[in-house]
Amino acid sequence: MNATSFTDNGLFFQPHYFTAPLDYSNPGKGSIEVFAREVRLSGDTDSNKPWLVFFQGGPGFPSPRQNGNSGWIKRATQEYRVLLLDQRGTGNSSVISHQTLAGLSPAEQAEYLSHFRADNIVRDAELIREQFGVKQWAILGQSFGGFCSLTYLSMFPESLSRSFITGGVPSISRHPDDVYQATFKRTKQKNEAFFAQFPQAQSMCQEIADHLSQNEEYLPNGQRFTVEQFQQIGINFGMSDTFLPTYYALENAFVTINGDKQLRYEFLNNMLMEQGFQTNPIYALLHESIYCQDFASKWSAHRVRQSYTEFNYQTGQSFYFTGEMVFPWMFDQYTNLQPLKEAAELLAARADWSDLYHAEQLGKNKVPVSCAVYADDMFVEMDLSRETLAKIPNAKAWITNEYEHNGLRADGEKILDRLIAMGNQTAATLV
């Protein structure tokens, strides 16, 4: 069922559908549908108003379903028509799931999925820009969306008037091993901060982990719940205001039935709701490939984890949550990832990934690039972001410890306002 236009809270929403090649280098492989939703102020008929395209974080998650005229959308619509792009494979853009991939062999699944990285996401945006007849537009990239932004600046800089990036300036050359060396350290620091605030949570986590090691507990979807899955809720520590909700969940983990201690259904249901991999498998399947250029990841996070043995929980040791990393065992344990295990192995072994960034082009960049870099970001290491920005002319960074990785969601109006001002300053020097 196709989306329709509507008005809400002073905003007008208009859906747009496009047909794009699966493989731009070989259109004969077939096509996919790409969806984007236009957002503008209700009654705004200014056809000359510039466009701002939003690239969502992930990979593998759709654009925001905006609810209300607030946050960064409120600031953006003051001077832009906003285009919320469902990146290919997400939302209403030929969605990828265990259901849609079920009819393909593992080799066919891997080949199909190989066309869903940032380079083709950017090509989709270019196709839309051309069909709209727009000479240039601005882009806003959050997290992985920032990775897409640097790919856009590498491939089609002449199409961009401004680039705004929040929590998403990647290394343009490093191996993912370097990335995970940094993020495991940062994740350990977040654990230490959490357990310092809630010392009693350490014994709670150990009790849950030991119980899972010694007993079979099942999530509402019938999947056995394990220590490794429990550790993965630590991904939340990369977001603001998540320590207290995590503690509340821990203190209500158990219930005693006829003298038998077991995990509460409420707790188990909450744990299932944390598993975004079940509904958005691109995140698990292609997460490490977002760093790959002419080399294979070979399960980088899993290999790096072995040098951080504290994350491999054993009874009697301190408990640590993990972060946003993906691991090969997920395709054994997660119900909706199990049918994709062989494809995941093929993708992890693939070495012929195309380049996502062009250092030479970025080195002569003329597009004003304004970035919010979060000093304590658990997902995108500040030092690697600064290393990249030092190589890109006309790129300015606002480095702050005021926000976590979800700053755009937490205080988007303020953050985008500052980035727009930064971009205007840079543009003035280029005139």
Side-chain angles (χ1 to χ4, degrees), residues 102-392:
L104 303 177
S105 69
E108 290 169 337
Q109 290 172 347
E111 165 60 21
Y112 185 71
L113 288 160
S114 70
H115 301 291
F116 286 76
R117 295 201 309 156
D119 49 356
N120 284 319
I121 292 170
V122 165
R123 290 186 179 102
D124 291 341
E126 270 296 278
L127 179 147
I128 296 170
R129 183 190 62 80
E130 291 174 355
Q131 290 196 18
F132 276 180
V134 175
K135 182 179 180 181
Q136 287 186 323
W137 54 17
I139 56 175
L140 168 60
Q142 157 65 17
S143 188
F144 171 68
F147 290 37
C148 294
S149 298
L150 287 196
T151 300
Y152 213 144
L153 286 162
S154 296
M155 295 174 64
F156 305 105
E158 67 283 353
S159 300
L160 303 177
S161 59
R162 297 280 196 284
S163 174
F164 308 114
I165 298 174
T166 58
V169 179
S171 170
I172 61 173
S173 59
R174 287 181 179 264
H175 193 278
D177 286 12
D178 295 335
V179 175
Y180 291 119
Q181 287 286 350
T183 54
F184 266 112
K185 291 178 183 176
R186 190 72 69 177
T187 301
K188 184 177 180 179
Q189 293 170 358
K190 296 292 186 182
N191 272 273
E192 291 168 347
F194 172 72
F195 289 119
Q197 183 176 353
F198 300 102
Q200 61 272 46
Q202 180 59 231
S203 61
M204 293 176 177
C205 288
Q206 291 181 27
E207 183 181 12
I208 294 169
D210 291 343
H211 176 82
L212 291 171
S213 297
Q214 300 162 14
N215 301 273
E216 292 186 5
E217 292 276 8
Y218 292 88
L219 300 178
N221 68 340
Q223 171 184 306
R224 184 175 179 181
F225 188 49
T226 65
V227 175
E228 295 87 358
Q229 293 171 41
F230 175 48
Q231 288 178 290
Q232 285 194 302
I233 70 170
I235 191 173
N236 293 324
F237 289 173
M239 312 299 177
S240 58
D241 302 322
T242 55
F243 281 9
L244 186 55
T246 300
Y247 174 76
Y248 286 149
L250 296 175
E251 69 175 7
N252 287 323
F254 286 103
V255 64
T256 300
I257 306 294
N258 297 326
D260 216 9
K261 186 178 70 172
Q262 56 189 261
L263 291 175
R264 287 170 56 167
Y265 180 86
E266 174 190 0
F267 177 81
L268 291 168
N269 190 57
N270 286 341
M271 294 299 101
L272 177 60
M273 297 300 291
E274 294 281 353
Q275 297 181 356
F277 316 107
Q278 304 276 17
T279 54
N280 298 80
I282 285 179
Y283 188 87
L285 288 159
L286 294 178
H287 194 276
E288 292 196 350
S289 78
I290 69 176
Y291 302 106
C292 294
Q293 302 180 98
D294 300 311
F295 53 77
S297 72
K298 299 179 181 178
W299 298 113
S300 174
H302 182 68
R303 286 185 290 98
V304 172
R305 180 174 179 165
Q306 305 320 305
S307 62
Y308 290 88
T309 56
E310 60 268 37
F311 287 96
N312 301 321
Y313 179 75
Q314 295 183 17
T315 299
Q317 296 182 350
S318 295
F319 179 92
Y320 285 87
F321 291 103
T322 52
E324 68 159 355
M325 307 85 173
V326 299
F327 306 101
W329 55 259
M330 293 166 57
F331 293 86
D332 295 315
Q333 294 191 17
Y334 287 102
T335 298
N336 292 343
L337 293 184
Q338 289 171 1
L340 307 175
K341 176 180 173 64
E342 291 182 65
E345 294 290 350
L346 291 170
L347 290 167
R350 180 169 180 154
D352 62 345
W353 294 109
S354 59
D355 288 345
L356 295 169
Y357 313 112
H358 304 313
E360 182 179 357
Q361 178 57 51
L362 291 172
K364 56 185 180 182
N365 174 65
K366 295 182 180 179
V367 179
V369 180
S370 308
C371 310
V373 176
Y374 307 128
D376 300 321
D377 199 322
M378 195 172 95
F379 303 152
V380 181
E381 175 57 38
M382 174 188 67
D383 290 341
L384 297 182
S385 295
R386 295 180 67 185
E387 178 183 89
T388 296
L389 290 171
K391 302 172 183 177
I392 305 177

Side-chain angles (χ1 to χ4, degrees), residues 2-34:
N2 284 349
T4 59
S5 60
F6 58 88
T7 301
D8 180 76
N9 280 295
L11 296 176
F12 177 75
F13 297 79
Q14 176 69 49
H16 297 276
Y17 292 89
F18 308 89
T19 299
L22 171 67
D23 181 353
Y24 279 85
S25 66
N26 185 1
K29 286 186 177 181
S31 62
I32 61 169
E33 186 171 66
V34 176

